[in-house]
Amino acid sequence: LSPDCSFTCHYRCRALVRLDCSGPPGAGDEDDGNEQVLEKDTNVDEPSEWEKTELDQAQVEQRIKEYNSQINSNLFMSLNKDGSYTGFIKVQLKLVRPVSVPATKRVPSLQAGRPHPQGVKRRTSFYLPKGTVKHLHILSHTRASEVIDALLRKFTVIDNPRKFALFERSEKDEQVYLRKLGDDEQPLRLRLLAGPSEKVLSFILKENETGEVNWDAFTLPELHNFLLILQREEEEHVRRLRHRYARCRQKMQEAL
């Protein structure tokens, strides 16, 4: 049992425990902080190299054949008679704030013998697990905003879709680039042009950071939840700060 953080482990494993509780390098929850992101690549006004590429029907058919020959699963793309095509995209959810889902709670009867069978629609908030991944089967003309709507429906999230944004992530020269997709961009088209490699292109759902938070867009229950979360975070920061100073004070007293 570590006196610093109350972490319990086997006696033979204690040498492997980091008392600062930060975990091994690169394995913490703050994985976004380890990625070097170029700020200019989060600008939706700057299209990626794939967004600028135009393909005719023959090129689309050839690209689909090449794509299907490179994947190691059954998530193939299919060309339709009308010239459109269907396929799968994988989206990783990296949400740092809680999401709201519907919850039904029955109203207790105010008078004996007069039950109220109807339920009152309520919402509850929770954090989606880190690294949650979802595959979606979409059309070539499916827009990024429609992908966001589909993801929220899959997880029964009732928050305003404008609170979220779809990002493309790519790696080049040991540098990670993130770019927020515009509402009308077509993720499956980007997937086809980039190929199946997740390093070349992957999709991430994140909060739609627009700089200043528009608190008027949130409901009263959401704002109350945020206040509770802020209070808990503040209390945890204060606890850690006091603990750190207490440890420094103890070391100084031992030296004296």
Side-chain angles (χ1 to χ4, degrees), residues 30-148:
E30 302 297 329
D31 54 351
D32 287 345
N34 294 328
E35 291 186 349
Q36 301 178 11
V37 179
L38 292 185
E39 184 176 356
K40 69 182 183 64
D41 286 303
T42 63
N43 190 345
V44 295
D45 295 329
E46 297 179 9
S48 64
E49 56 181 296
W50 302 299
E51 183 63 16
K52 301 174 184 177
T53 305
E54 296 292 339
L55 300 177
D56 58 29
Q57 186 67 19
Q59 290 174 323
V60 168
E61 185 175 358
Q62 180 61 29
R63 287 288 187 115
I64 291 177
K65 290 180 180 179
E66 293 175 357
Y67 182 94
N68 290 340
S69 66
Q70 296 173 16
I71 62 175
N72 298 319
S73 64
N74 58 350
L75 304 180
F76 299 107
M77 288 195 188
S78 302
L79 184 63
N80 301 322
K81 293 181 179 179
D82 61 359
S84 65
Y85 49 96
T86 59
F88 294 85
I89 61 169
K90 183 174 75 171
V91 181
Q92 184 178 12
L93 282 71
K94 286 189 176 182
L95 303 177
V96 297
R97 292 195 287 264
V99 296
S100 299
V101 296
T104 302
K105 182 177 180 180
R106 295 201 173 275
V107 179
S109 175
L110 300 178
Q111 299 181 5
R114 295 185 61 185
H116 293 268
Q118 71 273 18
V120 175
K121 288 186 177 181
R122 300 170 62 91
R123 59 172 61 195
T124 184
S125 299
F126 74 101
Y127 289 92
L128 282 172
K130 292 282 186 180
T132 299
V133 173
K134 190 67 179 178
H135 286 85
L136 293 177
H137 188 246
I138 62 175
L139 292 163
S140 54
H141 53 75
T142 301
R143 299 178 295 127
S145 59
E146 295 172 325
V147 169
I148 295 174

